[in-house]
Amino acid sequence: MALDTPYRAIFCDLMSDTALDILPVRDVSFEDYIGRAGSLSGTVPIPDRAIAERAHQIKPGRTTVYLERGGDLWWGGIVWTTNLQSSDRGVVTLGIQASTFDSYAARRRIRTNDFATRFTQPTDQYVIARELWKSLSDGLGESRIDEGDENVVSGVSRTASWRYGDETVYQEALDQLGSQKDGFEYQILVYRDPDDGKRIRELRLGSPISNGATDMIFDRPGTILSYSLPDDATRGGTVAMARGASTNSNAGAESRPTLSDLYEPTDPLPDTWPLLDLSSDHNDVSDKATLNSLAQAAVNEASGHVQIPEISIRLGGIVPPALLGRTARIRITDEWHPTGLDARYRIVGVKVRPAERGRPDTAELALERT
């Protein structure tokens, strides 16, 4: 990111969210997704001692970075690694690698018995997710994650139990909970409070996550610079089984995992398909009903084949920062689509490369058919 970029890189203290500095960052790319953590990479040039002193404030695991464009926050996350380098010409740079705030859930383990019995009675899955985030974000001090509106529920109840000593990673607990049949998605949304301008980091839940009342329209020829429409049967299946923890209490007997039943897609595939097996392991789950739900959700998600189309667009004033969950109407006319493709997709991933050295400001959008 050159000095004339429309983006500003704001570095802050992780525990207090106090701004430390605004520094130039080059060779930036950043991405965000529904369902997994996004990342940011870039390089802080160190041309002199003054910049070096300022860059010393960037501490892995203790510093956050926000990218701001036109007054809006487009990305925010935790700096996890840095790499100080000097070339053979004596040029010093500091490389940074950061991940969105939901990556924090992968660095925390459930080390409390609060969740051993609290949800043994059916509880709305959003309530359980918020309680997990409330527990893990206690480690962030004053700048904890906002758990969102507690009055919003999914209407789907679950039972769950995680015990002290199992060393369950919070992210695994959240993913296990959300990946069941009729599950949910989560994302940490960053934005400025419209009243006081304060930076907000808020847990966003959805079944699925949606955003915006109107479709965003992208055309080729037009806004779409390029596209990719992969169709992958190696990642799909027609029958799924989920394997869980062993419930064998006899030390002298062979240990075998708890198995779900075999599940086919809820909505039958329109054409004739061969048997294609899907399998997943859930070492912390011993409840067969939960395993059945996980198996059903897995084969519904990857029914037959997997398609994750992508388009590349030029960013401009009409493209808002909160793209994830928006519905995109894609219209393409070319040799493959002589009569024209006109389809609606949900945006589930965004990868941005800011303008630099004559390169335009572009974004790659990962799409999911609605």
Side-chain angles (χ1 to χ4, degrees), residues 100-353:
T100 47
F101 288 107
D102 43 355
S103 67
Y104 184 62
R107 301 302 310 277
R108 295 290 313 283
R109 295 178 183 269
I110 297 178
R111 292 177 175 173
T112 173
N113 267 325
D114 287 351
F115 303 115
T117 59
R118 189 189 301 186
F119 306 121
T120 52
Q121 297 298 316
T123 306
D124 191 272
Q125 59 186 349
Y126 284 9
V127 174
I128 302 175
R130 290 193 192 97
E131 288 300 314
L132 287 169
W133 270 105
K134 184 181 295 184
S135 174
L136 76 92
S137 66
D138 283 344
L140 293 174
E142 299 176 9
S143 60
R144 56 182 298 114
I145 304 296
D146 187 322
E147 289 89 37
D149 188 349
E150 63 180 14
N151 295 316
V152 176
V153 294
S154 68
V156 176
S157 294
R158 309 270 189 217
T159 59
S161 176
W162 299 282
R163 297 171 301 175
Y164 179 87
D166 287 346
E167 290 292 270
T168 304
V169 177
Y170 275 94
Q171 179 184 304
E172 293 175 357
L174 286 159
D175 290 346
Q176 173 203 113
L177 188 66
S179 60
Q180 297 182 51
K181 182 184 177 183
D182 300 321
F184 64 92
E185 300 169 331
Y186 67 90
Q187 177 210 2
I188 305 301
L189 184 65
V190 296
Y191 62 95
R192 288 195 181 277
D193 188 303
D195 296 325
D196 58 15
K198 181 182 177 181
R199 289 179 293 271
I200 304 295
R201 302 176 293 193
E202 181 178 295
L203 174 65
R204 188 181 181 200
L205 300 169
S207 305
I209 287 175
S210 61
N211 183 24
T214 59
D215 292 355
M216 300 183 68
I217 298 176
F218 301 105
D219 293 306
R220 181 177 172 89
T223 314
I224 300 174
L225 300 175
S226 62
Y227 70 84
S228 173
L229 302 175
D231 197 349
D232 188 354
T234 66
R235 297 169 57 189
T238 57
V239 180
M241 173 184 284
R243 303 195 310 169
S246 171
T247 57
N248 180 21
S249 59
N250 186 349
E254 181 184 8
S255 179
R256 299 289 296 170
T258 306
L259 301 178
S260 75
D261 296 324
L262 293 174
Y263 280 88
E264 297 181 354
T266 301
D267 297 323
L269 288 161
D271 303 309
T272 302
W273 280 76
L275 285 176
L276 298 173
D277 295 328
L278 291 171
S279 179
S280 58
D281 291 312
H282 309 274
N283 297 328
D284 294 330
V285 181
S286 57
D287 178 58
K288 184 172 180 178
T290 300
L291 292 169
N292 284 343
S293 182
L294 288 164
Q296 182 68 81
V299 75
N300 286 348
E301 179 72 19
S303 177
H305 56 148
V306 175
Q307 295 175 305
I308 306 179
E310 292 186 353
I311 62 171
S312 177
I313 63 171
R314 189 188 303 270
L315 287 179
I318 62 170
V319 179
L323 286 169
L324 293 181
R326 291 292 299 265
T327 300
R329 184 179 174 190
I330 307 300
R331 302 187 300 196
I332 298 174
T333 303
D334 57 12
E335 292 80 3
W336 191 268
H337 308 95
T339 60
L341 169 70
D342 191 340
R344 298 174 75 247
Y345 297 87
R346 187 171 64 112
I347 300 173
V348 295
V350 180
K351 183 175 182 178
V352 176
R353 290 186 62 84

Side-chain angles (χ1 to χ4, degrees), residues 24-82:
V25 184
R26 294 176 179 164
D27 303 320
V28 166
S29 67
F30 63 93
E31 55 192 20
D32 200 0
Y33 299 94
I34 290 174
R36 62 185 173 97
S39 64
L40 174 145
S41 63
T43 303
V44 178
I46 312 294
D48 53 48
R49 195 165 186 175
I51 294 293
E53 289 296 325
R54 293 164 62 187
H56 269 291
Q57 300 178 95
I58 302 174
K59 305 293 186 182
R62 290 179 285 162
T63 307
T64 61
V65 58
Y66 297 91
L67 288 189
E68 185 180 64
R69 185 179 192 267
D72 294 319
L73 295 180
W74 277 66
W75 194 94
I78 302 170
V79 178
W80 288 115
T81 62
T82 62

